Amino acid sequence: MSNDILAFKEPIKGGLIRILLRIGDIECEVENDAPDFVDPLEDHPVLTVTPEADLKDVTESFMDGYPLVLNKRKSKEDKIVWNLPGGGIWFDMEMDNVKEVWLTEFSFFIESEKPRYLAYYIRDVEHNIEWLQPDAQSGEIRSLSTFKKKFTPPPVSGKNVYSGSEILKCADMLGRAINKIDMRTQEALVRFNTEKGNLEPLLIGMAEKLGYTVKSLDKEVIKREGEKGRNVSHSISLQ
């Protein structure tokens, strides 16, 4: 059982250090194809976490799905927030491989127990990496260092399948966005219709091939721009 309580109590073998991937709120939009008889608030989805790097000796920590629980207090009609019981995933490894883990990004995917009807599109995941080691005097396991990670949608890969109409839609949106780039700043804030995140990897991948960088905006930036009357969701800039 992987959770942060055990991560601070289970002994660490000599010569190894412990890494905790602490996972906080997972904010999602949901697509419900059967709203009359399927309620996402009663769902029991599973979280899959995949590191981008091929991490030596710790792949088994990311092979299984992790059951999620609903955060009733933060969930609203327009969003659902899930939490991972225990708060994280941890593993022990050799010191020489820590840098690889520290720098890698992590992809997150949620699958409903009713995948035929419910699909989740992750908008944000609070997560960070912590380095745990026993205190030299007391032997108590403590967090020595923390590195906050920023959630980014996974890039498009060979596993993604898109229709011709979706590709044309993304090409049209990118074309319009590129025309809005201010040559002085080499950037523009734009609004993309990603169909609840489904098209985001395709947009990011297509932009990269064309020499541009597309990034999701922080919630604070979206709110601030909204107060100015601007409806934006992403930035696009020259590489």
Side-chain angles (χ1 to χ4, degrees):
M1 180 179 180
S2 295
N3 58 57
D4 61 345
I5 297 176
L6 285 178
F8 284 90
K9 293 185 177 181
E10 286 276 325
I12 301 175
K13 294 182 179 179
L16 300 180
I17 63 100
R18 179 162 294 164
I19 294 294
L20 168 64
L21 174 62
R22 192 184 290 273
I23 301 173
D25 290 346
I26 306 171
E27 185 178 318
C28 309
E29 293 181 27
V30 61
E31 186 173 281
N32 189 350
D33 290 337
D36 292 337
F37 64 93
V38 174
D39 185 355
L41 299 182
E42 297 179 356
D43 195 18
H44 299 90
V46 172
L47 174 71
T48 301
V49 182
T50 306
E52 288 185 3
D54 183 17
L55 304 178
K56 300 179 180 65
D57 304 323
V58 300
T59 53
E60 67 276 3
S61 298
F62 300 97
M63 292 179 65
D64 298 327
Y66 293 86
L68 297 173
V69 295
L70 179 70
N71 187 320
K72 295 181 180 179
R73 182 174 61 86
K74 295 184 178 180
S75 295
K76 302 176 182 177
E77 290 185 3
D78 59 336
K79 72 175 183 180
I80 291 181
V81 177
W82 299 101
N83 292 129
L84 181 66
I89 302 169
W90 61 269
F91 46 85
D92 297 342
M93 63 188 310
E94 295 180 358
M95 182 82 72
D96 293 344
N97 299 327
V98 170
K99 181 179 179 181
E100 197 172 11
V101 178
W102 208 253
L103 297 179
T104 193
E105 300 297 334
F106 295 87
S107 297
F108 301 87
F109 176 75
I110 295 178
E111 182 173 11
S112 166
E113 66 176 345
K114 301 179 178 67
R116 181 178 176 182
Y117 306 109
L118 295 175
Y120 295 99
Y121 301 98
I122 299 176
R123 306 308 301 157
D124 193 21
V125 181
E126 295 179 356
H127 63 298
N128 57 50
I129 288 282
E130 293 188 35
W131 179 326
L132 311 183
Q133 257 187 288
D135 180 79
Q137 300 296 324
S138 66
E140 180 183 357
I141 296 176
R142 296 181 179 177
S143 178
L144 299 185
S145 182
T146 299
F147 181 53
K148 186 176 182 180
K149 293 284 188 176
K150 180 179 178 181
F151 173 73
T152 55
V156 67
S157 71
K159 296 180 181 179
N160 297 100
V161 178
Y162 295 98
S163 68
S165 62
E166 288 175 327
I167 294 172
L168 289 173
K169 180 177 181 178
C170 287
D172 180 64
M173 287 192 292
L174 282 174
R176 294 172 184 270
I178 289 169
N179 287 333
K180 293 181 179 180
I181 293 177
D182 186 332
M183 288 298 103
R184 295 169 299 178
T185 61
Q186 298 188 338
E187 185 181 35
L189 300 185
V190 296
R191 174 70 181 179
F192 285 133
N193 177 9
T194 64
E195 296 185 1
K196 297 183 179 178
N198 185 47
L199 298 181
E200 201 152 35
L202 181 58
L203 279 164
I204 292 171
M206 291 177 67
E208 184 177 334
K209 293 294 184 182
L210 293 171
Y212 300 91
T213 299
V214 168
K215 294 182 179 179
S216 297
L217 295 175
D218 292 335
K219 289 180 287 186
E220 293 78 9
V221 176
I222 294 174
K223 181 180 179 181
R224 185 170 65 245
E225 293 298 318
E227 292 172 349
K228 300 176 184 177
R230 300 182 62 194
N231 187 12
V232 297
S233 61
H234 294 74
S235 67
I236 183 169
S237 60
L238 296 171
Q239 288 182 356

